[in-house]
Amino acid sequence: MDASSFDHILRKVVIVPIVAILVGAGILAWQIQSASATVTLIQTQDERINQTLGIEQLIVDQETGLRGYEVTHDLRLLQPYLNAQAKFPETFRKRRELAATNPARQKALDALRSAHDTWEQSFASPLISTIQAGGDTNDVALNYQGKLLMDEIRKRIADLNVTTVHAREVAVEHWHKQVRNTIFFLIACSILLGLTIGLYVRRLIKQVSGAFRQSHNVLRIRAEQTFRSEEKLRTTLKSIGDGVITCDAEGRVQSINDTAQELTGWSETEARSQPLDEVFAIFDETTRQPLENPVTRVTRSNQTVRLQNHTILKRRDGTEIFIEDSGAPIRDKHARLVGVVLVFRDVTLAKRSQQALLANEKLAVAGRLAASIAHEIHNPLDSVSNLLFLMDGVATDEERTHFLLLAKQEIARVTQISRAMLSLYRESKAPVKIDLREMLDSILLLMEVRFQTLGVHVAHDVPGGLCVHGFPAELRQVFTNLLTNAAEASGPGGTVKLAALPQPARNDEDGIHHDEGVIVTVEDNGPGIPENILAQLFQPFFTTKGERGTGLGLWISRGIITKHGGTIDLESSTAEQHHGTTISVFLATNPTINPAPASS
Ligand code: ADP
Ligand code: MG
């Protein structure tokens, strides 16, 4: 049931009883009206009876006055007769008026009047005249006639009274009936009204209560569903392996799950309503500067943000862990930002194993290099001992000077190799300016024997004066990896081309700015890389070389290049005519260097 039908029912509940009561009241008013008309009728009948009584009284007065005058012959006693005679016409007229609606009664009245007139004219007036003339009043015939006339009058009056009284009785009876009817109607009407209103309202209330029960049920089910889903959400959040913190739009903590409590060192009760900065204090691994609160970043950008992956979380007890995290906006149904959810995880272990892997790869590279270096050093040392042997035996000064020069050259080569070897592991703390030609030449020098063993010819075209800023040992590792891969792929008789090209600052077609830098390419004419393994190349431990490979070279190289703010791209073809692989490394001249090697 919706709100409008509910209103409709409420209106009906009020209006229907009012209408029913009004109808009942109307009928009652009509009944009272007709009862009061009956009362008026009774009053008129009373009036008529009174008037008739008045007439009767006047006639009695006349008869008594006449009788007194007849006996005493004293005029004073005739006075009541005269008074009554004077009043008679008016009284009679009034009585006749009251009978205006009843012709039969008018006729009876007229007959009464004429009987009275006859009595006056043929008995009363002659008798008075006789008395006044001093005549005889004992005329029996006259008196008897007078008596007969008077009897006639009395009879008519009595008749009139009887009909009037009867009419009054009828009216009174009618009135009683009306009153009874009214009472009956009142009782019946009350019962009927009560029943109708009761049943009707009961029906409506049943509808309303049905609807109420229904909506109550719906609400209950919804509440149960909400409770269940909240419970599920709570359990999910509780058991999730990542730390989850939710904040309101002002950046105050609203909830914090078990993992987040463990990682931050704040319990839920302590953390609730605290500013996020307090609970989730993050800063940069190298600069040690506090990092912008993710809630502020999400609020500003109004979209999901990821933290840089060298973020450190300072726990409540002061210990530090590496974390990786993301923040996402929480929106209401009007898409307004009402909060932010923060998801983060402890990557300290991963970070450590990554560092261990890096060290491992360095060791592997160093191990592989050690063999070639031993070989490399062995050759000049062999020459030196041969030269010393010759110098010992041969006497001429000229020859000795020549051998000494040759020995010096051989020793210089050994020194050069050992210096190159040393610089491979001499980590600089800050990026330094690197002359690319110098670095690449020294790498080639170290790898010379290896290339020879593999039967690979190396062509290089690196112009002088190309400089970038970076960590030389790390970049050496990159190019050693790339050159090794290329040489191994090319195989005997193959060619590896190493080239470098300056790249001026530019804006590409998407309007993105690219800094000034150098592109170093390592190209081989090996078999190329099949498409199905391209996607896995940069993943750690992916190798096609079995025991001989570590599968870390490309992964680490990309990490180092990304750290240097550069890019590494691979192009490969397995076509029969032009097979081979080209790897291009872009290094910016003045990069913003990310402190930790990143890999993904
Ligand atoms: P590894 O050299 O120890 O195998 P890398 O990470 O350096 O590990 O290389 C991974 C894989 O990529 C190699 O095993 C190889 O199959 C492939 N690969 C890398 N460089 C080349 C290349 N220049 N030509 C063909 N395949 C290559
Ligand atoms: Mg490799």
Side-chain angles (χ1 to χ4, degrees):
M1 181 178 283
D2 59 3
S4 78
S5 47
F6 184 72
D7 282 352
H8 186 64
I9 286 181
L10 280 188
R11 269 200 299 278
K12 281 208 274 191
V13 166
V14 176
I15 289 170
V16 170
I18 288 179
V19 169
I21 287 171
L22 282 179
V23 169
I27 296 173
L28 200 66
W30 171 73
Q31 287 204 327
I32 290 171
Q33 173 75 31
S34 48
S36 84
T38 312
V39 169
T40 316
L41 185 69
I42 293 169
Q43 282 172 340
T44 319
Q45 301 292 12
D46 284 345
E47 182 76 359
R48 280 181 192 137
I49 291 169
N50 282 338
Q51 294 286 346
T52 316
L53 280 176
I55 292 173
E56 199 179 357
Q57 188 58 49
L58 288 177
I59 291 170
V60 170
D61 283 355
Q62 273 190 309
E63 199 191 5
T64 329
L66 187 64
R67 185 83 53 218
Y69 185 52
E70 193 183 352
V71 176
T72 61
H73 293 227
D74 186 346
L75 261 175
R76 280 179 302 174
L77 289 176
L78 189 64
Q79 203 52 45
Y81 174 91
L82 294 173
N83 286 348
Q85 193 186 28
K87 282 186 197 158
F88 192 85
E90 179 58 20
T91 312
F92 190 83
R93 192 189 57 75
K94 275 188 188 158
R95 177 62 188 91
R96 200 176 183 281
E97 236 174 52
L98 286 174
T101 52
N102 191 339
R105 195 151 308 150
Q106 273 186 337
K107 231 170 131 185
L109 277 168
D110 289 345
L112 172 68
R113 171 132 206 199
S114 76
H116 176 260
D117 287 353
T118 315
W119 176 78
E120 256 188 8
Q121 283 157 19
S122 52
F123 172 70
S125 297
L127 188 65
I128 294 168
S129 306
T130 313
I131 294 169
Q132 279 173 344
D136 183 16
T137 56
N138 293 328
D139 183 350
V140 176
L142 185 71
N143 277 318
Y144 186 67
Q145 196 201 349
K147 179 199 172 286
L148 286 179
L149 286 171
M150 189 44 76
D151 284 349
E152 159 109 20
I153 290 171
R154 280 197 212 295
K155 189 180 170 289
R156 287 194 187 278
I157 287 179
D159 282 353
L160 254 177
N161 268 339
V162 165
T163 42
T164 318
V165 165
H166 178 70
R168 184 183 187 277
E169 273 165 5
V170 170
V172 167
E173 183 50 36
H174 182 61
W175 183 78
H176 278 306
K177 212 168 141 190
Q178 278 178 323
V179 168
R180 268 200 310 277
N181 281 350
T182 307
I183 290 170
F184 174 75
F185 173 77
L186 252 179
I187 293 169
C189 198
S190 307
I191 292 172
L192 207 71
L193 255 179
L195 277 176
T196 318
I197 292 174
L199 290 175
Y200 183 71
V201 169
R202 186 164 158 259
R203 192 167 63 86
L204 292 184
I205 283 176
K206 249 186 177 168
Q207 275 180 19
V208 173
S209 73
F212 174 75
R213 253 200 306 279
Q214 203 181 335
S215 56
H216 182 264
N217 267 349
V218 171
L219 281 181
R220 191 174 48 79
I221 291 168
R222 281 207 196 128
E224 271 169 18
Q225 281 170 345
T226 314
F227 179 75
R228 265 203 298 277
S229 75
E230 264 187 14
E231 203 51 31
K232 212 159 136 189
L233 208 71
R234 236 194 305 278
T235 322
T236 315
L237 272 184
K238 232 175 156 48
S239 45
I240 210 165
D242 285 353
V244 179
I245 298 179
T246 58
C247 299
D248 58 17
E250 278 76 51
R252 293 191 176 276
V253 175
Q254 285 188 323
S255 77
I256 173 166
N257 76 345
D258 289 1
T259 314
Q261 291 178 39
E262 216 172 281
L263 293 182
T264 56
W266 285 74
S267 74
E268 172 141 37
T269 21
E270 290 166 338
R272 187 166 292 139
S273 302
Q274 291 294 324
L276 183 69
D277 285 333
E278 285 278 314
V279 181
F280 190 72
I282 47 172
F283 54 90
D284 189 289
E285 183 192 346
T286 23
T287 62
R288 311 289 302 174
Q289 288 299 311
L291 287 170
E292 191 183 20
N293 177 335
V295 172
T296 324
R297 279 176 62 201
V298 172
T299 317
R300 183 154 39 79
S301 66
N302 204 11
Q303 62 187 24
T304 306
V305 296
R306 285 184 68 83
L307 283 196
Q308 293 102 316
N309 45 17
H310 45 91
T311 305
I312 285 188
L313 170 72
K314 194 167 191 150
R315 306 177 68 220
R316 204 177 184 191
D317 60 7
T319 51
E320 293 172 3
I321 53 172
F322 287 97
I323 57 157
E324 229 175 58
D325 93 332
S326 61
I330 307 171
R331 297 196 176 90
D332 65 7
K333 59 179 179 213
H334 307 296
R336 270 192 312 251
L337 188 111
V338 289
V340 173
V341 58
L342 204 72
V343 181
F344 59 102
R345 71 171 71 99
D346 183 1
V347 292
T348 315
L349 251 172
K351 201 98 176 169
R352 297 230 190 292
S353 51
Q354 190 183 327
Q355 281 162 356
L357 282 175
L358 212 69
N360 215 24
E361 168 72 0
K362 274 184 185 167
L363 277 177
V365 170
R368 261 183 257 136
L369 280 175
S372 50
I373 289 162
H375 194 78
E376 188 82 349
I377 292 174
H378 179 78
N379 287 344
L381 283 184
D382 224 18
S383 310
V384 170
S385 66
N386 282 339
L387 287 167
L388 286 177
F389 177 77
L390 289 172
M391 277 162 77
D392 207 21
V394 179
T396 66
D397 280 352
E398 208 176 310
E399 276 175 329
R400 203 169 279 162
T401 318
H402 179 62
F403 289 151
L404 196 64
L405 186 74
L406 285 177
K408 268 184 184 167
Q409 278 175 356
E410 291 299 314
I411 292 291
R413 183 162 165 76
V414 172
T415 316
Q416 203 182 8
I417 290 169
S418 69
R419 192 178 294 136
M421 185 67 192
L422 275 179
S423 68
L424 184 65
Y425 280 97
R426 199 175 290 141
E427 285 276 11
S428 15
K429 284 276 172 246
V432 295
K433 190 173 178 184
I434 303 165
D435 184 314
L436 274 176
R437 182 153 85 173
E438 215 177 286
M439 184 180 76
L440 292 170
D441 277 354
S442 75
I443 292 172
L444 289 176
L445 176 74
L446 280 178
M447 294 182 72
E448 212 174 275
V449 178
R450 200 172 161 79
F451 290 137
Q452 275 169 20
T453 323
L454 287 168
V456 175
H457 170 69
V458 180
H460 59 105
D461 176 18
V462 181
L466 291 181
C467 289
V468 295
H469 281 83
F471 297 94
E474 287 178 0
L475 291 181
R476 257 171 211 288
Q477 195 180 348
V478 171
F479 292 114
T480 309
N481 282 335
L482 299 182
L483 285 165
T484 309
N485 281 348
E488 284 172 350
S490 302
T495 311
V496 172
K497 286 184 195 156
L498 174 68
L501 260 183
Q503 185 79 10
R506 67 193 167 95
N507 287 328
D508 65 15
E509 52 270 27
D510 295 330
I512 297 170
H513 178 77
H514 293 273
D515 289 333
E516 180 195 356
V518 180
I519 293 184
V520 181
T521 52
V522 180
E523 188 185 341
D524 66 62
N525 58 356
I529 305 168
E531 220 166 284
N532 58 335
I533 65 163
L534 271 178
Q536 304 168 59
L537 287 190
F538 287 90
Q539 286 173 7
F541 303 113
F542 176 78
T543 177
T544 54
K545 296 171 192 165
E547 283 299 302
R548 285 186 305 111
T550 60
L552 294 172
L554 285 181
W555 176 62
I556 286 173
S557 300
R558 189 165 77 172
I560 293 172
I561 296 300
T562 313
K563 170 183 161 182
H564 279 75
T567 54
I568 177 164
D569 296 303
L570 185 146
E571 243 177 78
S572 188
S573 161
T574 49
E576 230 171 89
Q577 303 296 318
H578 309 284
H579 50 85
T581 305
T582 307
I583 300 215
S584 320
V585 174
F586 170 78
L587 288 168
T589 314
N590 290 303
T592 328
I593 293 198
N594 296 324
S599 27
S600 53

